[in-house]
Every structure is written in C-alpha cells, then in structure tokens.
Amino acid sequence: MLIFKALILYSLPLLHGVHLSIMNIEQEPGSDTMKVSLRMNHEFFVADFRLYDPSFQPVREQGDVIVPEEKINRYFNENVKIYVNRKLLKGKLVSVVKDYYDLCLEFIFISEKDPVSIRIRNRIMTDLHDDQENMVYLEINNYHDALRLTPGHTEEKRKLGERRNQGR
C-alpha cells in the first residue's frame, strides 16, 4: 500500500503540474530516533532558499547550485517545525542527494520513545508557489497517516493513537 501511495504521489506532478514536496517521518517502536526525509525539485528549492536568504551567493558545481549543508539545516529547521508531545524538535541534516531534478534531504531528530502527539508545520516553498502541496507521510510506532499541507493550510496536529494499524 505504501508503495502504491508513493507511486501515485511521484506521478502527480506529471499529471497535474502541481508544485510538490514529499516528506516521510518515520520512527520505529521503542526508538527515540525519528528519521525525516524530504524530496523536492532542486530548482524550486534554490528559488525558495533565495527568498529565505536574499544575501545567498550561489556556487555552481557541474551546473547545479550548491547550498552549504549548515545553511540547508537552518533553512529546514526554520521552515519545518515538528513538535512531539508539545516539545519542538530540532533536526540534524545527515544526507543530501541530488537525483536528476530532485533534491533528497535526510534528517535525524531525537524524539521520545513513545510519542503521544505530533504537530507539523511545513512552510517549504509556500511563499514561492500558490499551488504548493507539501505531502507528509507519518509512520510512527505503528501509526500511519498522510497529511496534505498547502500555503493556506501549513500545519496539522495528530494524536498518535487514533489511527493505529488500520490496514495501511
């Protein structure tokens, strides 16, 4: 089912022309480590980063704009807020991969072993595109859900026990 959802979401931009980012938030039962991956168009990321940091002087490498990892980490933590049990978590960038036209970022967050609630605010590219859609998939301690965030709706809250193990 998860593969089917991913396939649909990756094909949406081809069919609809929507500006899209896809974030996965995963945490295994009994672990205090939350893994977050974010995939978005590289050119749109650079344009959004320039809005975030107008003084940014781009460096090009093989035709691509390179943004230093510490600046990506700051950009992410200011545009994406993840609260677990009402506590704001800070992410640490662990991987940056450019895959054709997309940029894939991976972060690690230290959370709680048994989170009860999560609140996510995602403002990635919401000042850049009126039709921006930021999809968020949650897989936390057997809780599964999908969120659709937009420029007019940048935040969602979930109690993590409400949709556990419903065939996803």
Side-chain angles (χ1 to χ4, degrees):
M1 186 65 153
L2 185 60
I3 293 171
F4 181 68
K5 286 192 285 188
L7 182 61
I8 288 173
L9 281 177
Y10 282 112
S11 25
L12 276 178
L14 300 173
L15 301 173
H16 192 278
V18 169
H19 297 99
L20 180 71
S21 78
I22 300 172
M23 183 185 311
N24 290 306
I25 301 175
E26 300 175 11
Q27 184 174 341
E28 295 293 324
S31 173
D32 69 348
T33 303
M34 188 175 282
K35 297 175 186 174
V36 176
S37 64
L38 175 65
R39 183 179 196 100
M40 62 187 146
N41 178 278
H42 182 259
E43 289 181 26
F44 296 152
F45 162 73
V46 171
D48 196 44
F49 190 85
R50 286 183 175 145
L51 289 175
Y52 164 75
D53 183 359
S55 66
F56 174 64
Q57 296 296 318
V59 174
R60 290 196 173 270
E61 184 178 296
Q62 297 179 350
D64 292 328
V65 173
I66 304 301
V67 178
E69 289 186 7
E70 68 273 1
K71 289 188 177 201
I72 293 174
N73 204 74
R74 196 170 347 137
Y75 163 87
F76 181 85
N77 280 305
E78 288 185 24
N79 282 288
V80 175
K81 305 286 187 188
I82 299 175
Y83 297 84
V84 171
N85 300 344
R86 297 184 177 180
K87 177 183 169 194
L88 176 62
L89 306 180
K90 290 289 184 186
K92 180 181 184 313
L93 182 66
V94 294
S95 172
V96 178
V97 176
K98 180 152 186 304
D99 180 23
Y100 296 100
Y101 300 106
D102 289 341
L103 184 65
C104 305
L105 307 173
E106 292 184 10
F107 298 85
I108 296 290
F109 290 76
I110 301 302
S111 181
E112 296 185 21
K113 285 188 179 182
D114 193 23
V116 175
S117 66
I118 189 165
R119 184 174 93 194
I120 300 161
R121 181 181 309 144
N122 186 341
R123 296 185 39 92
I124 299 275
M125 296 185 281
T126 56
D127 291 332
L128 191 61
H129 304 293
D130 291 339
D131 63 348
Q132 178 67 33
E133 292 191 6
N134 293 321
M135 299 301 298
V136 180
Y137 291 102
L138 302 173
E139 293 182 47
I140 301 172
N141 292 349
N142 299 319
Y143 173 90
H144 301 272
D145 203 354
L147 313 175
R148 180 177 163 263
L149 303 175
T150 64
H153 180 74
T154 59
E155 185 172 318
E156 282 279 343
K157 299 175 192 174
R158 291 291 188 268
K159 291 194 179 203
L160 298 176
E162 292 180 357
R163 294 182 74 180
R164 289 184 189 264
N165 297 321
Q166 292 187 355
R168 295 183 196 255

